[in-house]
Amino acid sequence: MSKTPTYIMNPLPTIEDLTPHPIPNKKEVLAYLRGFKATYRAGGYFTDIKSGQRYPIDPSACLEAFTDGEWCWDTELMHYFEAYDAKLDDRFLAKFA
């Protein structure tokens, strides 16, 4: 039986989840997250809970979900990590230690 992937951070983030937690290897983590093909795509957008801006800004773009088999994330979670240094699960970050 396969294990369900774990989210890299709270899948329903709150303002508290966006408290900055800078990490020295952010570029490496972002490259890893961007290195996977989407497993799911859907039209629509999300509204950044901090800025109120809608994403994706391009109406032809879509929201996407990704997994490496152990961890999962989506367009919104990647945005919060990139824009605000949102805290990622320490067990996920251990991959990059």
Side-chain angles (χ1 to χ4, degrees):
M1 190 159 94
S2 65
K3 181 182 169 198
T4 302
T6 303
Y7 280 97
I8 61 170
M9 67 178 283
N10 180 358
L12 300 172
T14 65
I15 289 292
E16 290 77 28
D17 293 317
L18 303 187
T19 301
H21 290 85
I23 60 171
N25 54 350
K26 180 177 180 176
K27 287 182 181 180
E28 178 186 0
V29 174
L30 280 170
Y32 181 84
L33 295 174
R34 291 181 179 139
F36 290 85
K37 290 187 177 186
T39 57
Y40 179 80
R41 302 181 91 194
Y45 64 90
F46 69 91
T47 301
D48 181 309
I49 61 174
K50 195 166 186 176
S51 73
Q53 176 72 44
R54 284 186 173 185
Y55 290 92
I57 296 170
D58 179 352
S60 67
C62 61
L63 302 176
E64 298 176 314
F66 307 87
T67 185
D68 64 3
E70 181 181 2
W71 295 94
C72 60
W73 58 96
D74 59 29
T75 309
E76 183 177 8
L77 300 184
M78 285 185 3
H79 165 76
Y80 291 135
F81 175 62
E82 183 172 21
Y84 304 117
D85 292 324
K87 182 168 178 22
L88 302 183
D89 189 299
D90 289 332
R91 296 167 299 165
F92 172 73
L93 290 176
K95 293 172 79 83
F96 305 95

